[in-house]
């Protein structure tokens, strides 16, 4: 099933070019009082929500997907984990062009591990990216994103895939410079998730996904997830050996070669096989 959040507080099932409004399915989520849980309730109760959504679909309103504004498919992730340089060719590219990483020492992901992006950087495709420091280089990074479905720590390789709720495409936007990754990649709107969540029962082989990213119609990145240095199982084993994974946590799996700058006015389109196309506008500095 493809599930989207749209028009701020609506839940939809995506079928072809239409979105079916199944928002009443969210009524089965528990009401919470302060202190609020530090994980995403929609993802925690995903199976029940899906079952209710299926019941509602027959009579629910249908809208053209182009007429809605898509929010992040996960509203409240407990954490946004991300893999640095995790495709062999991107590693070579980064080493060749030290300017891409501002002469930071490029290290193997096996030594560097993972990093976190601020939750406040998260947006959906419909919100777009707002360039915060237009005088600096701001790069696109297209990445497959894994959404965690179950609480897990110290995962074995055998158990890893069963903790996945589904997949999204993502943009790990980056301001280049000497600062720590987590600072440069945590600017408001610099984590784009979407266009919707494809549940793991529908997307059963994330290990061989063809994907591409284009800017203003020009292809900049084209790769397949089979070329990940650390694959999805490796990443989940690594992440769960440091963090407890919670429902709704998201994991950006790393970007392939072809990263490049974007400026206000650009339009980024990602296309992931089995997920779909995501269109993201790049805006100038946000006012107010
Ligand atoms: Mn990245």
């Amino acid at each position: 099933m493809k599930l989207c959040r749209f028009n701020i507080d609506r839940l939809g099932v995506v079928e072809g070019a239409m979105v079916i409004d199944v928002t009443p399915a969210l009524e089965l989520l528990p009401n919470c009082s302060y202190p609020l849980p530090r994980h995403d309730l929609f993802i925690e109760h995903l199976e029940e929500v899906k079952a209710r959504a299926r019941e509602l679909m027959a009579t629910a309103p249908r809208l053209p997907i182009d007429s809605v504004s898509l929010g992040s498919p996960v509203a409240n992730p407990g954490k946004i984990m991300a893999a640095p340089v995790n495709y062999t060719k991107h590693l070579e590219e980064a080493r060749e062009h030290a300017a891409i990483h501002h002469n930071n020492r490029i290290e193997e992901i096996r030594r560097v591990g993972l990093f976190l992006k601020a939750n406040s950087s998260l947006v959906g495709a419909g919100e777009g990216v707002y360039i915060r420091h237009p005088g600096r280089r701001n790069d696109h990074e297209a990445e497959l994103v894994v959404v965690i479905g179950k609480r897990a720590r110290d995962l074995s390789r055998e158990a890893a895939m069963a903790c996945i709720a589904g997949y999204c495409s993502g943009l790990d936007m980056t301001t280049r410079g000497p600062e720590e990754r987590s600072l440069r990649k945590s600017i408001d709107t610099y984590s784009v998730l979407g266009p919707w969540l494809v549940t793991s029962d529908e997307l059963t082989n994330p290990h061989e996904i063809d994907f591409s990213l284009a800017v203003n119609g020009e292809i900049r990145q084209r790769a397949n997830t089979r070329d990940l240095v650390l694959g999805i199982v490796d990443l989940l084993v690594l992440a769960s050996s440091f963090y407890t994974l919670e429902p709704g946590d998201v994991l950006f799996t790393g970007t392939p070669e072809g990263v490049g700058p974007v400026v206000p006015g650009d339009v980024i389109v990602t296309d992931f096989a089995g997920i779909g196309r995501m269109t993201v506008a790049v805006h100038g500095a946000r006012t107010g």
Side-chain angles (χ1 to χ4, degrees):
M1 186 176 273
K2 295 184 173 76
L3 288 159
C4 70
R5 292 182 57 251
F6 69 99
N7 297 355
I8 300 176
D9 63 352
R10 313 302 294 174
L11 178 70
V13 175
V14 179
E15 278 195 353
M18 303 299 284
V19 53
I20 306 163
D21 187 340
V22 294
T23 305
L26 293 176
E27 288 165 12
L28 59 78
L29 299 185
N31 287 314
C32 296
S33 58
Y34 185 83
L36 300 174
R38 290 194 290 185
H39 62 267
D40 189 276
L41 291 172
F42 162 59
I43 301 296
E44 181 184 26
H45 296 277
L46 186 60
E47 291 309 313
E48 299 131 86
V49 172
K50 280 164 60 183
R52 183 78 184 107
R54 276 195 200 96
E55 294 169 1
L56 292 165
M57 278 170 67
T59 55
R62 293 173 176 248
L63 303 88
I65 193 100
D66 290 344
S67 71
V68 307
S69 179
L70 293 167
S72 167
V74 184
N76 299 108
K79 53 187 165 294
I80 302 174
M81 303 168 280
V85 190
N86 194 23
Y87 283 82
T88 313
K89 284 184 186 162
H90 179 45
L91 178 64
E92 291 163 4
E93 169 186 75
R95 280 183 169 143
E96 267 173 39
H97 305 283
I100 290 180
H101 286 263
H102 205 81
N103 295 314
N104 288 355
R105 193 156 147 239
I106 303 305
E107 297 181 286
E108 255 263 35
I109 184 172
R110 285 191 177 83
R111 292 206 296 132
V112 176
L114 305 172
F115 64 95
L116 294 175
K117 300 184 64 147
N119 290 5
S120 52
S121 67
L122 184 67
V123 291
E127 291 156 88
V129 170
Y130 288 78
I131 300 296
R132 183 63 177 267
H133 300 292
R136 293 169 64 164
R137 180 170 157 173
N138 293 273
D139 281 7
H140 56 75
E141 296 189 358
E143 311 197 3
L144 177 69
V145 179
V146 173
V147 179
I148 304 299
K150 295 190 180 79
R151 175 170 294 182
R153 53 195 297 256
D154 293 326
L155 280 166
S156 67
R157 298 188 63 81
E158 294 70 30
M161 295 303 291
C163 83
I164 297 175
Y167 305 89
C168 302
S169 44
L171 288 174
D172 172 21
M173 299 301 298
T174 304
T175 291
R176 297 300 174 191
E179 301 93 343
E180 289 286 344
R181 278 191 174 92
S182 71
L183 183 68
R184 293 182 287 106
K185 291 168 171 277
S186 287
I187 293 170
D188 295 351
T189 75
Y190 274 39
S191 300
V192 185
L193 197 62
W196 37 72
L197 172 76
V198 184
T199 55
S200 56
D201 54 353
E202 176 166 330
L203 204 171
T204 54
N205 182 8
H207 311 293
E208 288 184 40
I209 293 180
D210 273 318
F211 65 97
S212 65
L213 177 146
V215 177
N216 305 331
E218 177 200 340
I219 295 282
R220 296 261 192 93
Q221 294 185 278
R222 191 190 289 281
N224 186 293
T225 55
R226 78 168 73 89
D227 294 324
L228 283 164
V229 175
L230 289 191
I232 293 167
V233 168
D234 303 298
L235 291 170
L236 291 172
V237 168
L238 172 62
S240 72
S241 72
F242 284 80
Y243 316 121
T244 297
L245 306 182
E246 300 280 358
D249 285 359
V250 298
L251 171 61
F252 282 69
T253 56
T255 203
E257 67 279 13
V259 301
V262 291
V263 295
D266 284 347
V267 176
I268 303 171
V269 176
T270 61
D271 196 349
F272 281 68
I275 297 177
R277 285 162 66 91
M278 176 169 81
T279 302
V280 180
V282 181
H283 306 290
R286 192 146 53 171
T287 52

